[in-house]
Structures are given as structure tokens and as C-alpha cells.
Amino acid sequence: MKQALLGTFFTLFCAAAIAQNVNKEAYKRYVSTDKYGQSLDGYVVLNSGEKEEALIKYEEPYLLLDPTLPLITYRKKNNKEKAYLKDKIAGFYVNEQLYVPEHFEEDSSRWVMVVREGAIRESIVLIPNKPYDQPDYYTVNRLVTNTITLKAYFVGRLAINFARNMSSMIFDYAQLNKKVRDAEEEYKFLNYQQIIARYNMWFDSNNPDVIPYILPRPDYQKIIDNGD
């Protein structure tokens, strides 16, 4: 019991320490604050996979990613406004970023910014420091999600007992799974992106056309060879 309490206190202490040292400017790597309120070239991805080109109103992340708020667009031909309910679309692309709804195994979802598509998708979650008000900044969290099984981990959580956690995401690729579980060289946490690339390449080879890529398919071999 004493060890468990010490472990809890240590976890809370680390969390507090991390919170105090949040890089409040990091989120600006992923958004363009100077473009808020502008109408930018982009497209909306319908559930059918069809893309509709449009000018999209570029807003702060807490507005743009709110599933309850519509996506405001303007038709290029006549500038007529059109709003899309986010639960009726598969994603949208604006300011050179793809946004999609990420679904999780506990039957929940949230909108994320895609880093790399695939059977295991890598994405960015921007969490506002003020959940119910205009935020001063956003914390940046990297997320990996098996889009088939809906198993997902934030990268920080993935690192804790990495072999077990990653194994749960790649269980159907037996050879790769064993290398990760055995913690072989180049199959540890620091190599998680290469592991994901290996899995995605294997998955696409064995399950062609299952993953509906919106952007050009990533060069997984290049990631494996050179890292991210």
C-alpha cells in the first residue's frame, strides 16, 4: 500500500512539474494564428470519400475542432456560405492540414489534426488550457490510433510499458509483434514511428484498399530507413 501511494504521489508530482513547464508556443507549429478569420483554400471530405473544394473559414482550434460546431465554407464560384455538420463529414483540409474525427474503442471520438495516415494513424491533439472559454494556448499531444481496432494511446502513455502497449496495436502482425515484445534493437519506444510504418506497410500489402487514404499514401519505407 505504501509503495502504491508513493507511486501515485510521484505520478502527480511529475504531472504537475510537466504542467508548469508547458511550452505555450508549441501549438503555433501546427496553426497559423495570423490567419484566424480568413477564408482559405481547402476541401471537405464527404463520407462517400468525395472531395468538395471550397474556401474554408479558418478559426481557432477550439472552434475548428469542436464537433458540435459546423464547418463554415464558402463556394468558390459565388462565395455563397455553406455549413457542414461535422458528424456528417469524414474530414476537411485547410491551411495545409488534414482534420478528421478519431474514434476510440470506448465509443468516443474527437477531432484531430492528422500527421500521417495509415491503419495506425498518427495525429495531433490540441487541448485548450481553458476548456470552456477562449484559450490562451493549447497543449500539444501526439496520438497513435489503430483505425481498425480503435485502440489508441497518447505517445507519453505508449512509452509506459511500451512492449505491451504497442503489441496490443500490432497483434495481428505476428513477426513484428514478437520483435517488439522481445525488445529487439530498433524495436523499442524510440523507434515507434518506424514500427508503425512497418505495420502500415504490411497491413496495406495484406489488406489492399481497406484504408481510405485522403492524402497521398506516406512513403513508409523512407520512414523505416530514415526515421520521421
Side-chain angles (χ1 to χ4, degrees):
M1 175 64 73
K2 184 177 180 180
Q3 287 183 332
L5 288 173
L6 286 174
T8 300
F9 288 141
F10 178 73
T11 301
L12 292 174
F13 173 79
C14 290
I18 292 171
Q20 290 173 2
N21 291 283
V22 168
N23 182 349
K24 297 180 181 180
E25 298 294 309
Y27 79 96
K28 293 182 180 179
R29 294 175 53 197
Y30 304 97
V31 302
S32 300
T33 58
D34 59 320
K35 296 179 181 178
Y36 289 161
Q38 295 183 26
S39 298
L40 305 180
D41 282 321
Y43 56 80
V44 178
V45 185
L46 306 181
N47 286 329
S48 64
E50 182 184 354
K51 297 177 183 177
E52 291 188 353
E53 292 190 5
L55 293 171
I56 296 177
K57 184 178 180 182
Y58 188 66
E59 301 183 280
E60 288 202 38
Y62 81 102
L63 299 173
L64 205 61
L65 298 175
D66 188 331
T68 67
L69 297 179
L71 178 71
I72 305 301
T73 72
Y74 303 91
R75 294 191 179 277
K76 291 187 176 182
K77 290 184 178 180
N78 53 20
N79 206 38
K80 184 176 180 181
E81 180 177 312
K82 181 178 181 180
Y84 292 84
L85 296 177
K86 292 197 181 88
D87 62 353
K88 302 298 183 182
I89 61 176
F92 59 92
Y93 183 87
V94 65
N95 198 36
E96 300 184 355
Q97 296 283 0
L98 176 65
Y99 300 82
V100 299
E102 194 72 279
H103 301 281
F104 309 112
E105 59 184 344
E106 61 271 20
D107 197 29
S108 63
S109 65
R110 71 183 306 154
W111 279 77
V112 300
M113 182 184 298
V114 174
V115 173
R116 191 174 293 118
E117 294 180 278
I120 295 180
R121 181 159 51 207
E122 298 177 67
S123 59
I124 295 293
V125 178
L126 298 176
I127 301 178
N129 72 310
K130 296 178 182 177
Y132 305 106
D133 197 2
Q134 183 174 5
D136 299 316
Y137 63 91
Y138 301 80
T139 55
V140 178
N141 293 270
R142 201 166 183 115
L143 179 73
V144 294
T145 308
N146 185 312
T147 59
I148 305 300
T149 67
L150 307 186
K151 173 74 73 173
Y153 291 98
F154 283 114
V155 169
R157 178 67 181 83
L158 182 69
I160 302 172
N161 202 337
F162 174 72
R164 183 183 67 184
N165 293 339
M166 179 56 80
S167 176
S168 71
M169 302 187 77
I170 62 171
F171 68 94
D172 49 341
Y173 185 0
Q175 184 179 1
L176 181 63
N177 191 5
K178 184 177 188 306
K179 290 178 181 292
V180 170
R181 279 198 164 275
D182 291 345
E184 291 188 18
E185 195 65 30
E186 299 185 0
Y187 292 87
K188 301 176 183 178
F189 172 68
L190 291 178
N191 314 108
Y192 82 89
Q193 290 180 316
Q194 288 96 326
I195 294 170
I196 289 174
R198 291 179 190 278
Y199 178 83
N200 286 343
M201 189 161 63
W202 169 85
F203 187 94
D204 285 351
S205 176
N206 288 273
N207 305 276
D209 302 323
V210 169
I211 302 302
Y213 287 95
I214 297 172
L215 299 176
R217 183 178 179 273
D219 187 344
Y220 294 126
Q221 189 60 56
K222 183 177 179 181
I223 297 168
I224 294 168
D225 294 339
N226 304 318
D228 188 19

